[in-house]
Amino acid sequence: MSLTTSSLTIERVWCSLCNHYITTRKKREKMQRLTAKRTVHNVSLSLSRRCISSCTSQTYVDAAYDIVKKAGGLFIADEVQSGFARTGDFWGFEAHNVVPDIVTMAKGIGNGFPLGAVVTTPEIAGVLTRRCYFNTFGGNAVAATAGLAVLDVIEKDNLQENASMVGSYLKGRLSQLKEKHEIIGDVRGRGLMLGVELVSDRKLKTPATAETLHIMNQMKELGVLVGKGGHFGNVFRITPPLCFTKEDADYLVETMDYSMSRM
């Protein structure tokens, strides 16, 4: 939704954190005030769970990036959940007009193996040479081998393409389900990183927190596990394995449909 004036178009989005409509101009003005006071030196915009739990829009991310960079801050892309092909792109930040100064990654990098990594510029990395830093298990051969194996499987099994294709299919089916069930207020996300927001009133966007937990438990009894997030705990976080198939997607939607129909 957008508001148009004679000289300016302002995106108007629902914020699940604020629980009301806000404009990206308000966010821009607030961040400009913070940078003017030099209180914002770094910004970490998670392009993963926030994009499915709340309202991190394209306009907001681009505006925040521009303001912080002009103020001399650093852009940190949190790819712990969205990285390694989950969104259909290899990195979540690829969907935005940004170039990260630092990228953090974990979870998908090791496919269950405890592994994390940070990638940054030579200039930023050089700071560590002037500090005492060590990591007991940093760079060990077992972790490195696990990480390389994950990269091999993503490439050989075309998991990035699968995440994009099956994710688009699943999002489409969930959007169809929204037309059937009034409790579904929004379906959002990319690839195999989707969010389904549940509300008791679509117009007021009233969070259906209790209903979300009930439906989630009903789906668990039927063999489907989904997480929940958002400030009010009313957003299903759907992040299945990258090998998820269309048949798996169908079963997930049918299970959600059945559970909602029994409410």
Side-chain angles (χ1 to χ4, degrees):
M1 183 179 295
S2 63
L3 304 175
T4 303
T5 68
S6 59
S7 60
L8 179 66
T9 298
I10 308 168
E11 185 176 353
R12 185 170 179 259
V13 294
W14 178 267
C15 181
S16 298
L17 300 180
C18 307
N19 201 30
H20 57 71
Y21 279 106
I22 57 175
T23 66
T24 51
R25 186 172 69 176
K26 286 184 179 180
K27 287 189 172 186
R28 177 190 290 269
E29 291 171 348
K30 182 177 181 180
M31 186 162 287
Q32 285 174 332
R33 289 196 300 270
L34 290 172
T35 53
K37 295 178 181 178
R38 304 300 296 175
T39 57
V40 176
H41 300 286
N42 307 293
V43 61
S44 176
L45 291 177
S46 170
L47 306 181
S48 52
R49 56 190 175 85
R50 275 191 61 86
C51 76
I52 59 175
S53 295
S54 59
C55 66
T56 305
S57 67
Q58 176 77 48
T59 308
Y60 170 61
V61 172
D62 292 348
Y65 176 79
D66 181 60
I67 292 168
V68 172
K69 293 299 290 183
K70 286 181 179 179
L74 300 176
F75 175 73
I76 306 171
D78 173 7
E79 295 286 349
V80 169
Q81 294 187 40
S82 57
F84 295 90
R86 174 158 295 282
T87 64
D89 293 314
F90 202 86
W91 303 113
F93 67 77
E94 291 184 85
H96 302 267
N97 299 316
V98 299
V99 179
D101 297 291
I102 300 173
V103 180
T104 60
M105 56 195 80
K107 294 188 177 181
I109 192 176
N111 192 35
F113 190 91
L115 177 61
V118 176
V119 175
T120 187
T121 64
E123 292 77 16
I124 295 173
V127 174
L128 291 177
T129 64
R130 301 192 294 273
R131 297 290 186 273
C132 179
Y133 172 83
F134 73 96
N135 189 309
T136 303
F137 297 105
N140 73 83
V142 177
T145 301
L148 289 172
V150 169
L151 292 175
D152 287 342
V153 172
I154 290 174
E155 182 179 7
K156 292 177 181 177
D157 293 355
N158 297 314
L159 295 185
Q160 182 175 338
E161 180 182 352
N162 187 72
S164 178
M165 178 182 65
V166 178
S168 296
Y169 175 79
L170 175 57
K171 187 176 182 179
R173 292 238 28 208
L174 290 170
S175 296
Q176 292 174 356
L177 199 62
K178 178 184 175 184
E179 301 303 313
K180 180 178 179 180
H181 296 285
E182 283 290 320
I183 195 172
I184 299 179
D186 191 26
V187 175
R188 52 182 175 261
R190 295 186 297 113
L192 289 175
M193 193 160 203
L194 302 175
V196 177
E197 182 177 357
L198 303 189
V199 296
S200 56
D201 187 307
R202 280 190 179 180
K203 185 176 181 180
L204 298 176
K205 292 286 188 178
T206 308
T209 303
E211 294 89 336
T212 301
L213 182 60
H214 177 77
I215 295 170
M216 186 176 73
N217 287 332
Q218 287 291 312
M219 293 178 66
K220 181 176 67 174
E221 294 298 320
L222 296 170
V224 176
L225 297 178
V226 294
K228 65 182 179 69
H231 187 70
F232 302 100
N234 68 314
V235 182
F236 284 138
R237 295 170 58 185
I238 302 173
T239 55
L242 299 190
C243 56
F244 210 59
T245 65
K246 287 186 176 181
E247 290 74 19
D248 295 327
D250 287 334
Y251 185 70
L252 185 153
V253 174
E254 290 163 6
T255 300
M256 186 178 293
D257 182 21
Y258 176 77
S259 299
M260 289 180 174
S261 299
R262 296 186 62 192
M263 287 291 293

